[in-house]
Amino acid sequence: MTVLRTSSSPHIHGPNSVPKLMFTVLACLLPALLAHGWFFGAGIAVHLTLACATALGCEALMLSLRDKSRMLFLTDGSALVSATLLCFAIPPLAPWWLTVIGVSFAIVVAKHLYGGLGHNPFNPAMVGYVLLLISFPREMTAWLTPATHSALHYDFGATLDLIFNAGITGVDAVTMASPLDHLRMELSRTHSMVEILNNGELYGRLGGTGWEWVNAMALLGGLLLLWRKIIHWHIPVAMLLALLISAGFFHLLDPGRYSDPMLHLFSGATMLGAFFIATDPVSAATTNRGRLYYGAGIGIITYIIRTWGGYPDGVAFAVLLMNMAAPTLDHFTQPRAFGHGERD
Amino acid sequence: MNTRLFSFHGGLKLVDFKAGATDQPIQQAPLPPQLVIPLQQHIGTPAEPVVKPGDRVLTGQVIARATGAISANIHASSSGTVSAIEKRPVAHPSGLQAPCIVVTTDGADRWCDSPTITGDDFPHLAPDVLRKLIRQAGIVGMGGAGFPTAVKLKPSGGNSVELLVLNGAECEPYISCDDMLMRERAPAVVSGARIMMHALGARQAVIAIEDNKPESIAAMQAALASAGVGNVSVRAIPAIYPAGGEKQLIKLLTGIEIPAKALPINAGIVCHNVATAAAAHRAVYLGQSSISRIVTLAGHVPRDLNLEVRYGTPVDFLLRSFDINPAQVSAVIIGGPMMGYTLHRGDVPVIKTCNCILVQQQGKRLPYGNHGAAMPCIRCGNCADVCPANLLPQQLYWHAHSRDFDKIQDFHLFDCIECGCCDYVCPSHIPLVQYYRFAKSEIWAQEHDKEKADIARQRHEFRQFRLEREKTERALRHKQKADALHAPSAEAEDLARKKAAIAAAVERVKTRKAQSDTKPRNVDNLSAQQQQLIDEVEARRKQHRRQRTERPPNKNSDAQ
Ligand code: SF4
Ligand code: SF4
């Protein structure tokens, strides 16, 4: 006992850890993944496998280049979360290299070149997605409708074939834009909302067919995250409310030109964005008040881009734009410290 | 007194691990063959020895006297012979040695006589008399701070005291000494509360106990009822760590948020620990000085216990007496697992502020004892959620990490109470509190440096001034001599004018000195512990300057 081990307080630590956090997020993404697979076929499983392998490969490479502990960081699960989120945005029958390029860029450039875990100012998955959307707009917007999926009856082998042998040309005829994309294009051709929504199997009861279920499942997963205290309520609530209010306001002004707010809430990446993307702690605001502004900003920008912008979905751009604002928001929303006045 | 409870921001619900030590009564710890009694067991100046080696001492006899206003008497914890007065390792985070009086016990444990009062005297006593008895008894805050109690029983600066808060929250895991004290010695606590109220002139008192101690709450209520005191009440508070923190407790009970730079007394509130109150009772009514306390022994021990331990009892002796082989012990924490500190060696003595000894054995970990490898901060904000001071711990960490000591003070580093909540919840396992301590001590050291530089500058300026004065005086004398030859009548007038000129110069320099004399705020009122820290830091800084390394504080820095 002459030499005792000394350490600094506290001498105990809660059960929380980064891997635990990340794997809970992955688990909560499962319902949305299943819904995606159900409506759009097994393609996402193939892309997910590819994405995860690419993410881990890039992570390992960058960690050894940067001389960091691979044991510690490869197992933290953060690369897997980025990879999975990106997969939701990739059309299920898109060629394999699309996923590989997107994920590599997300991990190598958006994450590690900025300093790795905890240092990236932008959400890596969204950076990867935007890169793909800008560079490969045709491949990135070629979605099959759920109805086509079931009508085509292609099996898993065919899926693999399509993805790996660039067989997309064969299906080209039947692929079409995602519901939000379609809506935007049609509206710009001055079709009225009712005409568009009645026109085809793209739209379901709340949002785009299939997408409404992916969104509903993401909402479920998000509620699980809230319940497990992995995320705070501020960002999702602020974002969804802001989207609801902006969409509701314009819809009331002119229902013929502006779509139903429910369509906005349950289409595209809304719910995934609200609960899984905007809440990425590293790139979001960290004070509670800052989180409210941050979430609201994403909701509003999403609506603006969807309605008047040039891209089908605005969530990714909105998140990236607000990522830039996060440090400023944090600066101006510091909480009042115990025993200090408002401005002290 | 309203019965509403308020809340404070943050805090944690911790598994308390108190059941083991509370299912059996307090035991007497055996008397060691040698007591090693440090001269400083409190905040303030160390006591001066009044015995010498070879002297016979009785239990409770003063062996070292308080020096200065903030200090405390030290007594022989048992009768015997003073065998040495020398530096010995003491219980301190830095593992330093400090002067101690070593008493070889005779086993007879014979008490000396001390003045006491009786219950009949009590209402007529002047507060000063009570304070004097308590000061003589060497009582210091027993919750861990060790501030001399008598000083804290004197309303200062024209503040009158409305409310006395007796802190029986005991919010850290494992520690149950106050719980057991209240269960077994509730009347002593009530009596102590009345003594303290009388000394303070307080109108009411609240005994605050966490609601996970129903037995204590019942015992205190029963004691209050049988003593028939109406202006003291028991309040159950939620068991949220750190509800026992002074300012957090006051916020909980009254809703008053004591401003950062103020003391509770400024709001008419004074806080004392329940064990301190019981000690005051013993001093005033039984004439017993502060020579022992209840210590919780827990962790990897055959049985968790609460022990009445004489101050000066070496920790390893205590462990051996309760069937713990010191050779198997890997670490000992003094205090709780959240805010306690680890000992460097086992032969240090138990002192007045030691409420818990938490033992860890080789190859074992305490539950929740796993501090994994540190990862980068992922900005999750969990730390800010739990911070009872409502700070932004991740920002503090960020600026401590980049050694931006100006910025870190903008984020109120010095309001951090080092409770460890942020550290406990951090998913990245960053040793946050260690970073804050490092930043605080660096800032103290810097300000200390600056102070030294200021003194040097003042010395230089004074030398310049002296040289100049000597020159003028010399010139004056010459002139006087010359003048005396010519115009003796003008001499007196001229001298007076020159004198006035010199006086004005002196005055100017004085004011300038006074202006540059403003001390930086963080080095006012340093405790001895802090001073010690500063000295360590200074040594470290010297080394740093030589090495010019860019690494953060210590080995545990994150692995990013
Ligand atoms: S809890 Fe840890 S990881 Fe989370 S923000 Fe605070 S310091 Fe960073
Ligand atoms: S240690 Fe300091 S910063 Fe951390 S929670 Fe406690 S008071 Fe807040």
Side-chain angles (χ1 to χ4, degrees):
Chain A
M1 180 160 170
T2 39
V3 188
L4 290 172
R5 192 159 43 75
T6 57
S7 55
S8 174
S9 71
H11 307 283
I12 52 176
H13 191 279
N16 207 358
S17 73
V18 175
K20 212 166 173 170
L21 215 118
M22 295 295 171
F23 285 105
T24 314
V25 171
L26 284 173
C28 293
L29 274 171
L30 214 59
L33 271 177
L34 291 176
H36 195 288
W38 177 265
F39 287 101
F40 301 103
I44 192 161
V46 180
H47 283 289
L48 189 60
T49 317
L50 255 177
C52 289
T54 312
L56 290 180
C58 292
E59 187 92 355
L61 177 74
M62 292 313 286
L63 287 173
S64 54
L65 284 180
R66 295 177 57 224
D67 214 11
K68 301 286 169 189
S69 159
R70 263 173 293 173
M71 257 305 278
L72 192 59
F73 290 99
L74 268 184
T75 51
D76 69 15
S78 62
L80 298 182
V81 171
S82 298
T84 311
L85 287 174
L86 186 53
C87 280
F88 276 97
I90 291 180
L93 296 181
W96 60 274
W97 46 264
L98 209 57
T99 299
V100 172
I101 291 175
V103 172
S104 312
F105 192 75
I107 301 294
V108 173
V109 178
K111 184 174 181 186
H112 279 285
L113 292 191
Y114 279 103
L117 178 71
H119 297 277
N120 46 295
F122 298 105
N123 185 317
M126 291 305 100
V127 173
Y129 169 71
V130 166
L131 171 89
L132 293 180
L133 190 63
I134 293 174
S135 318
F136 311 102
R138 202 173 68 94
E139 284 82 356
M140 282 303 282
T141 46
W143 287 84
L144 290 177
T145 64
T148 335
H149 268 291
S150 37
L152 280 177
H153 286 308
Y154 59 90
D155 57 9
F156 192 64
T159 309
L160 282 180
D161 199 38
L162 283 172
I163 294 174
F164 285 101
N165 298 327
I168 188 109
T169 41
V171 216
D172 249 355
V174 289
T175 62
M176 57 189 306
S178 61
L180 278 174
D181 204 6
H182 177 255
L183 187 65
R184 192 180 50 78
M185 289 187 306
E186 294 300 303
L187 275 173
S188 61
R189 287 188 209 138
T190 65
H191 287 159
S192 88
M193 190 61 72
V194 188
E195 276 176 274
I196 303 169
L197 292 186
N198 286 338
N199 202 0
E201 77 275 30
L202 261 180
Y203 302 95
R205 208 171 315 160
L206 285 172
T209 319
W211 284 109
E212 58 189 10
W213 280 102
V214 175
N215 271 285
M217 288 297 129
L219 172 63
L220 176 74
L223 294 178
L224 288 175
L225 284 183
L226 276 176
W227 172 60
R228 299 301 305 157
K229 293 206 163 66
I230 302 287
I231 58 173
H232 295 77
W233 59 267
H234 306 77
I235 292 176
V237 167
M239 171 177 161
L240 295 178
L241 263 183
L243 187 59
L244 184 75
I245 291 171
S246 357
F249 175 75
F250 285 100
H251 183 66
L252 285 180
L253 272 187
D254 184 354
R257 272 175 52 75
Y258 300 103
S259 52
D260 184 332
M262 277 300 145
L263 185 90
H264 279 285
L265 287 188
F266 285 91
S267 294
T270 306
M271 292 296 172
L272 273 176
F275 290 98
F276 291 90
I277 300 171
T279 51
D280 162 35
V282 177
S283 52
T286 58
T287 63
N288 283 342
R289 226 154 27 99
R291 286 181 179 128
L292 289 176
Y293 294 126
Y294 177 83
I298 293 177
I300 292 169
I301 298 175
T302 299
Y303 183 75
I304 293 175
I305 296 179
R306 280 182 181 177
T307 312
W308 298 288
Y311 286 96
D313 199 349
V315 173
F317 291 101
V319 167
L320 292 178
L321 283 173
M322 290 309 290
N323 283 167
M324 281 193 261
T328 318
L329 287 177
D330 280 348
H331 182 80
F332 286 107
T333 55
Q334 279 170 40
R336 185 185 66 83
F338 187 99
H340 285 271
E342 238 2 287
R343 293 243 158 260
D344 193 355
Chain B
M1 170 98 220
N2 68 23
T3 48
R4 197 177 137 210
L5 275 182
F6 298 79
S7 65
F8 60 90
H9 178 267
L12 290 175
K13 277 206 178 308
L14 296 170
V15 183
D16 67 16
F17 299 108
K18 297 187 197 236
T22 50
D23 64 0
Q24 68 221 287
I26 300 167
Q27 286 185 37
Q28 282 294 334
L31 205 59
Q34 265 200 344
L35 291 161
V36 181
I37 307 172
L39 294 179
Q40 178 158 38
Q41 307 181 29
H42 49 265
I43 287 177
T45 41
E48 276 299 333
V50 291
V51 291
K52 48 187 196 312
D55 284 0
R56 302 259 320 136
V57 292
L58 296 174
T59 310
Q61 179 184 330
V62 176
I63 53 174
R65 241 173 232 303
T67 52
I70 301 183
S71 186
N73 283 349
I74 304 286
H75 304 79
S77 324
S78 188
S79 57
T81 316
V82 175
S83 49
I85 300 179
E86 62 190 16
K87 282 197 164 188
R88 289 284 185 105
V90 294
H92 187 276
S94 67
L96 86 172
Q97 303 213 339
C100 297
I101 298 178
V102 183
V103 175
T104 304
T105 54
D106 57 15
D109 199 25
R110 268 190 310 128
W111 277 83
C112 67
D113 291 327
S114 301
T116 58
I117 62 155
T118 64
D120 298 336
D121 302 338
F122 180 69
H124 316 294
L125 280 179
D128 258 341
V129 177
L130 289 175
R131 277 194 287 271
K132 200 166 155 223
L133 287 172
I134 287 167
R135 181 173 159 94
Q136 278 170 352
I139 298 172
V140 304
M142 292 168 89
F147 194 82
T149 302
V151 181
K152 235 178 131 185
L153 282 176
K154 193 180 173 81
S156 58
N159 296 291
S160 69
V161 179
E162 272 299 306
L163 179 67
L164 167 69
V165 173
L166 281 193
N167 190 343
E170 207 164 42
C171 53
E172 278 227 41
Y174 296 99
I175 310 179
S176 55
C177 54
D178 289 348
D179 188 6
M180 292 311 292
L181 170 89
M182 290 185 287
R183 291 189 200 193
E184 295 189 11
R185 304 174 193 171
V189 176
V190 172
S191 159
R194 296 177 72 182
I195 292 168
M196 287 178 157
M197 286 170 78
H198 193 63
L200 285 165
R203 289 202 303 190
Q204 30 180 0
V206 173
I207 303 170
I209 306 171
E210 277 192 349
D211 56 15
N212 59 355
K213 304 176 186 59
E215 296 87 349
S216 281
I217 295 173
M220 290 310 306
Q221 272 163 345
L224 282 177
S226 69
V229 274
N231 49 359
V232 182
S233 59
V234 175
R235 299 282 295 279
I237 56 168
I240 295 174
Y241 175 82
E246 191 172 69
K247 289 186 175 179
Q248 280 68 35
L249 185 58
I250 291 172
K251 177 84 198 292
L252 261 181
L253 293 171
T254 64
I256 297 173
E257 198 171 299
I258 305 295
K261 297 214 171 53
L263 293 170
I265 182 99
N266 301 127
I269 301 170
V270 171
C271 244
H272 283 285
N273 182 268
V274 285
T276 317
H281 161 81
R282 287 214 297 207
V284 171
Y285 286 107
L286 309 176
Q288 293 183 358
S289 314
S290 180
I291 55 149
S292 68
R293 66 162 296 141
I294 308 171
V295 179
T296 305
L297 180 63
H300 299 143
V301 295
R303 183 147 198 209
D304 288 2
L305 295 166
N306 275 296
L307 301 167
E308 178 88 43
V309 183
R310 300 289 172 104
Y311 303 142
T313 305
V315 169
D316 53 2
F317 169 82
L318 204 61
L319 296 186
R320 254 181 260 116
S321 322
F322 291 92
D323 300 330
I324 302 153
N325 178 1
Q328 307 234 302
V329 171
S330 63
V332 176
I333 299 165
I334 297 295
M338 292 300 283
M339 290 180 83
Y341 57 90
T342 48
L343 291 182
H344 288 244
R345 42 197 293 168
D347 53 359
V348 305
V350 167
I351 58 170
K352 294 177 181 177
T353 52
C354 167
N355 50 7
C356 179
I357 299 174
L358 201 51
V359 180
Q360 269 175 282
Q361 296 226 350
Q362 238 119 39
K364 289 208 239 171
R365 276 185 192 287
L366 292 175
Y368 298 99
N370 182 17
H371 232 298
M375 296 180 81
C377 168
I378 57 166
R379 301 174 21 105
C380 63
N382 288 359
C383 48
D385 293 344
V386 297
C387 176
N390 210 4
L391 307 177
L392 290 173
Q394 82 272 30
Q395 298 284 359
L396 291 175
Y397 157 67
W398 185 251
H399 296 304
H401 188 271
S402 55
R403 296 164 169 264
D404 190 344
F405 298 130
D406 283 331
K407 206 71 207 246
I408 198 171
Q409 294 189 65
D410 294 346
F411 285 93
H412 306 298
L413 173 69
F414 285 93
D415 291 322
C416 164
I417 57 173
E418 298 181 14
C419 66
C421 289
C422 51
D423 202 309
Y424 184 89
V425 298
C426 176
S428 291
H429 295 251
I430 302 170
L432 294 169
V433 176
Q434 221 169 322
Y435 275 95
Y436 307 152
R437 273 200 206 111
F438 159 76
K440 284 181 186 176
S441 49
E442 286 289 295
I443 292 168
W444 283 324
Q446 279 179 4
E447 293 187 351
H448 208 64
D449 276 359
K450 185 171 166 293
E451 214 174 8
K452 271 200 211 143
D454 283 347
I455 292 169
R457 186 170 44 72
Q458 280 164 20
R459 240 186 249 130
H460 172 74
E461 277 176 4
F462 184 72
R463 183 166 172 276
Q464 293 294 100
F465 161 74
R466 184 169 51 81
L467 292 179
E468 211 161 292
R469 186 187 60 192
E470 281 167 7
K471 215 167 87 187
T472 3
E473 280 174 356
R474 223 176 302 127
L476 191 67
R477 268 199 305 276
H478 285 157
K479 196 160 183 300
Q480 275 168 11
K481 274 191 190 146
D483 286 352
L485 294 177
H486 305 295
S489 59
E491 186 194 32
E493 197 189 324
D494 191 40
L495 191 63
R497 206 174 57 236
K498 297 236 164 82
K499 264 188 183 158
I502 292 171
V506 171
E507 202 51 46
R508 266 203 307 283
V509 173
K510 265 191 196 153
T511 34
R512 200 170 49 196
K513 237 171 66 185
Q515 275 161 6
S516 64
D517 222 12
T518 47
K519 274 191 189 173
R521 60 182 174 139
N522 295 322
V523 276
D524 295 344
N525 311 321
L526 288 179
S527 73
Q529 277 190 3
Q530 291 165 338
Q531 187 60 49
Q532 175 69 30
L533 268 175
I534 291 173
D535 295 344
E536 283 163 34
V537 169
E538 246 168 31
R540 205 148 31 84
R541 276 152 56 83
K542 284 203 190 99
Q543 215 179 340
H544 265 297
R545 272 190 212 116
R546 257 178 273 130
Q547 298 173 347
R548 270 282 149 232
T549 88
E550 278 302 304
R551 295 303 301 158
N554 46 50
K555 61 204 183 296
N556 270 342
S557 65
D558 64 26
Q560 55 184 281

